[in-house]
Amino acid sequence: MESLEGIPVSEGVAAGRVFVLDDLSARIVRRPIAPDQTEEEIARFERAREAAVEDLRHVHERAKAEIGEDAARIFLVHLGMLQDSALIEPVRDKIRTEHIAAESAVSEVFRMWGDRFRSMNEVAFTTKADDVRDLADRVLERLVGARRSRLAEIGMNAIVIARDLTPSQAVNLDKNKVLAFVTDLGGRTSHTAIVAKALGLPAVVGCRRASELAIDGESVIVDGHRGRVILSPDEETAEQYKEYAEQRRRFRVSLGELASLEAVTPDGHRIELLGNIEFPEEAASVVEVGGGGVGLYRTEFLYLTSDHEPSEEEHYEAYAKCIELLDGLPLTIRTVDLGADKYTQQRVEQPERNPFLGCRSIRYCLRSLPMFKTQLRAILRASSLGPVKLMFPLISGVEEFRQARLYVRDVMEDLRESGVDFDPDIAIGMMVETPSAAVIADMFAREADFFSIGSNDLIQYTIAVDRTNEQVAHLYDPHHPAVIRLIRQIVDAGRRNDIPVSICGESASIPEYALLLMGLGLRTLSATASALPNLKRVVRGVPMHRCEQIARKAFTLDSAAQISGYLRDQARQLVPEAFDGRSVEA
Ligand code: PEP
Ligand code: MG
């Protein structure tokens, strides 16, 4: 038995048989050809490339049907890349000048691009490297034909283990046979991780040497909660996990029953539970689990899954789709939060030295006015279709908020002049996710219509710890007393100025942390749809006066470890059922 640790990117536990999907490109050797064969070889490359383009069109159609139009757009990006002369000309040149076979030239050129992106050592570029590798494999499959037949051999209950798995490979896995996947490379924000969640397959990435150590056909367990992969588990571990999987199944069934119940504490305090979404289709999942609307729509995913800047109409259609699915429930649209780990092609080409402290989010929008105004027009037009709120990310000073709001007013004026409908009273709020905004939250509370606490960023900027860097991951802790103090300060400022405050960072979905947040005065929590049922269970299980006691006690503790331990103990005593599916420590 061997236990490997990786990054959990998609929940769930699966036990099955290893299916190693090896790296096709690594097996291609440099094959010389006679000089008079070069034109023939270039033609062979062209045929393979065109066939790969055709394959991608089918994959795109299939992905649209399975994971929705927006998520499927990544394949349009791939289509564009495979027709881009920057990528294909060097292949032709190589065949022509170095007299090598088409597959050798493809492998070398694409690998060079992949290595170049990967050496930049940033999530944004690594993701780009994944895309290039995916394309290389597609063309190579057509040239040497090995990998597809390998995938055709896949048996039932397969756990696919690969050095890397590209988005198109992930989406093409046969869901009747594949139970989970594991990759050596990859990070939390890679496109493949997003596809895994959209498909609902447990997945662990960044598992270093998994594909080297795993042996085809051996038994394996994938734990998508803890990011653990157990090769050849012994009987005791296999038994524990069987029980664990059964617990999880019962837990999910029991959570399903909560959808129609109210999120009210036993002493009558109502908590609003909202969903975070990246794609419009996810609004349906929020409604399905009984969410009260969308508290955060990360609209930058419109850019990340497209090969062009989305038009006003594309924005509008996405928002209209959300509004339709939400059927009267509110939609909070956050203006694009590009930059840092969320990039566009243009930004990849102009890297910043310190992108998390650079031109990201609202700063980027305020410097890209036509783009910003296009989105604002679409949001305002959509506001005539249903309840819509608007908020800006990463606000760090009041002038920034005022400036952004001024543009909203400008766009309103234009729309009014053109006789286009919109909601003139649309709520304009802001994310509070920088320490500067938290510290002067009282000043902001006189300007903004509402606050949404972005704890993911607030934690990284408060503790000075990059949220994407695994080297300092142990320091990234929502329980740090400084973070908790800042949250209280934001909530108090909102309360004193009578504006609503919610929280939409990942920490809102941790059951014990939710108790603390409620005790601090938060009445709206926004989290990924799958986390909402368990949060509802927590809300329904603990009276507010207990949450307040817990928050008071947490305030007397001075270390993150103490606070975290205390909260966990309390929550496990008060709502043990919220931890049912997580109680096995294998
Ligand atoms: C946050 O920072 O907490 C947040 C919700 O925004 P994002 O994770 O998209 O940066
Ligand atoms: Mg943020």
Side-chain angles (χ1 to χ4, degrees):
M1 177 168 105
E2 181 146 23
S3 181
L4 311 172
E5 301 287 327
I7 303 168
V9 291
S10 185
E11 282 230 345
V13 174
R17 298 267 158 205
V18 168
F19 182 89
V20 180
L21 198 60
D22 58 356
D23 188 347
L24 179 55
S25 151
R27 283 198 272 119
I28 304 285
V29 290
R30 193 175 168 92
R31 184 166 67 85
I33 53 165
D36 63 356
Q37 284 177 342
T38 51
E39 287 316 309
E40 201 181 302
E41 210 53 25
I42 288 172
R44 208 175 132 243
F45 164 61
E46 279 311 325
R47 284 197 302 279
R49 191 182 65 81
E50 277 160 22
V53 165
E54 208 39 48
D55 284 349
L56 266 173
R57 289 211 172 96
H58 291 305
V59 174
H60 174 242
E61 284 307 312
R62 190 166 148 200
K64 262 202 319 199
E66 289 194 10
I67 58 174
E69 200 163 335
D70 296 278
R73 264 202 211 122
I74 177 70
F75 300 110
L76 286 182
V77 178
H78 285 192
L79 266 171
M81 286 168 80
L82 210 43
Q83 288 161 320
D84 187 336
S85 58
L87 204 59
I88 58 182
E89 263 316 312
V91 176
R92 294 191 191 119
D93 279 354
K94 223 176 206 331
I95 299 174
R96 205 170 275 132
T97 56
E98 297 180 26
H99 307 308
I100 56 170
E103 62 270 22
S104 314
V106 167
S107 172
E108 288 181 17
V109 168
F110 282 55
R111 196 179 314 152
M112 181 271 293
W113 274 105
D115 288 349
R116 208 179 268 184
F117 283 128
R118 220 180 285 286
S119 71
M120 293 179 189
N121 226 355
E122 271 178 34
V123 180
F125 300 107
T126 314
T127 313
K128 212 73 207 151
D130 291 347
D131 294 339
V132 173
R133 225 183 53 79
D134 188 24
L135 293 176
D137 275 4
R138 289 206 157 271
V139 180
L140 289 174
E141 264 172 28
R142 284 293 174 168
L143 285 167
V144 293
R147 195 162 180 165
R148 178 144 308 163
S149 54
R150 173 98 182 99
L151 259 180
E153 291 162 15
I154 209 160
M156 294 304 284
N157 299 333
I159 307 267
V160 173
I161 302 190
R163 175 150 174 76
D164 202 0
L165 204 58
T166 59
S168 67
Q169 287 167 342
V171 89
N172 272 310
L173 295 174
D174 182 342
K175 259 72 71 202
N176 295 320
K177 293 180 175 171
V178 176
L179 301 180
F181 67 76
V182 176
T183 59
D184 299 351
L185 305 178
R188 238 174 250 284
T189 53
S190 64
H191 292 130
T192 306
I194 295 166
V195 173
K197 268 186 255 179
L199 294 173
L201 285 181
V204 177
V205 303
C207 210
R208 288 153 209 238
R209 295 177 59 217
S211 74
E212 261 175 64
L213 297 170
I215 300 166
D216 247 353
E218 75 176 325
S219 61
V220 58
I221 292 168
V222 176
D223 179 346
H225 301 293
R226 283 184 289 250
R228 199 170 290 167
V229 177
I230 301 160
L231 298 170
S232 283
D234 58 29
E235 241 170 66
E236 193 189 338
T237 310
E239 250 341 284
Q240 277 175 345
Y241 264 101
K242 210 181 269 172
E243 222 171 88
Y244 181 33
E246 177 53 24
Q247 263 181 39
R248 289 296 304 168
R249 196 193 59 75
R250 281 201 305 266
F251 187 58
R252 275 198 308 275
V253 169
S254 68
L255 287 176
E257 294 159 3
L258 287 165
S260 58
L261 302 179
E262 297 198 312
V264 177
T265 62
D267 51 348
H269 291 264
R270 185 173 299 278
I271 302 294
E272 197 180 20
L273 296 180
L274 307 177
N276 292 348
I277 63 170
E278 286 77 36
F279 305 113
E281 288 79 6
E282 290 176 279
S285 316
V286 174
V287 175
E288 210 173 291
V289 296
V294 166
L296 167 67
Y297 176 12
R298 291 182 162 103
T299 58
E300 58 278 8
F301 276 80
L302 281 169
Y303 290 72
L304 299 179
T305 53
S306 177
D307 60 346
H308 59 273
E309 196 176 305
S311 64
E312 182 183 324
E313 232 27 59
E314 284 168 320
H315 277 285
Y316 177 76
E317 277 166 25
Y319 309 149
K321 194 188 288 176
C322 295
I323 293 166
E324 186 192 329
L325 291 169
L326 287 169
D327 196 20
L329 297 172
L331 169 69
T332 312
I333 303 177
R334 175 176 76 182
T335 57
V336 291
D337 186 14
L338 286 170
D341 59 333
K342 290 180 275 195
Y343 67 102
T344 59
Q345 185 58 39
Q346 187 207 359
R347 294 186 63 85
V348 165
E349 285 158 12
Q350 299 165 354
E352 289 176 284
R353 195 169 307 150
N354 208 340
F356 274 102
L357 301 180
C359 186
R360 67 170 289 210
S361 305
I362 195 67
R363 302 168 187 179
Y364 180 52
C365 287
L366 292 177
R367 277 171 46 166
S368 316
L369 277 186
M371 178 191 96
F372 190 39
K373 285 189 163 184
T374 297
Q375 178 175 36
L376 293 177
R377 274 181 71 90
I379 296 174
L380 287 169
R381 282 173 55 205
S383 71
S384 70
L385 305 174
V388 170
K389 294 178 194 177
L390 160 62
M391 67 179 176
F392 306 121
L394 207 80
I395 294 285
S396 56
V398 280
E399 308 85 346
E400 223 168 19
F401 180 80
R402 287 180 192 144
Q403 207 181 342
R405 192 180 45 193
L406 205 62
Y407 290 122
V408 179
R409 304 273 180 240
D410 274 0
V411 173
M412 281 182 172
E413 211 42 56
D414 293 346
L415 290 174
R416 210 171 269 125
E417 274 170 22
S418 325
V420 177
D421 274 353
F422 65 92
D423 172 8
D425 300 317
I426 186 171
I428 303 175
M430 60 180 266
M431 303 272 299
V432 185
E433 50 184 350
T434 60
S436 61
V439 169
I440 57 166
D442 55 329
M443 296 173 177
F444 277 114
R446 296 194 285 268
E447 307 262 343
D449 292 329
F450 65 92
F451 287 158
S452 180
I453 302 173
S455 53
N456 299 341
D457 278 315
L458 187 60
I459 295 165
Q460 82 163 339
Y461 293 123
T462 303
I463 314 179
V465 51
D466 179 346
R467 66 192 252 196
T468 64
N469 182 347
E470 67 283 354
Q471 311 274 352
V472 285
H474 61 290
L475 296 174
Y476 184 92
D477 194 334
H479 302 95
H480 193 297
V483 173
I484 297 173
R485 275 197 195 181
L486 286 181
I487 292 178
R488 184 174 67 173
Q489 214 165 309
I490 302 164
V491 174
D492 288 350
R495 199 185 270 158
R496 274 197 298 273
N497 290 278
D498 207 18
I499 66 164
V501 183
S502 63
I503 179 163
C504 60
E506 299 303 307
S507 46
S509 56
I510 304 171
E512 60 270 32
Y513 205 77
L515 293 183
L516 170 71
L517 293 171
M518 286 157 62
L520 290 175
L522 274 153
R523 294 293 175 266
T524 305
L525 311 178
S526 191
T528 182
S530 59
L532 296 185
N534 204 34
L535 278 178
K536 195 182 281 186
R537 176 171 273 171
V538 170
V539 169
R540 291 175 61 84
V542 186
M544 188 57 78
H545 64 86
R546 280 295 286 133
C547 296
E548 286 165 355
Q549 270 171 9
I550 289 171
R552 275 197 297 276
K553 170 74 182 171
F555 251 84
T556 65
L557 305 173
D558 62 8
S559 87
Q562 272 183 320
I563 296 173
S564 146
Y566 168 70
L567 291 180
R568 217 173 10 235
D569 285 351
Q570 290 295 309
R572 280 182 190 270
Q573 276 174 33
L574 291 162
V575 265
E577 63 278 18
F579 297 86
D580 268 6
R582 294 159 201 266
S583 60
V584 171
E585 288 302 332

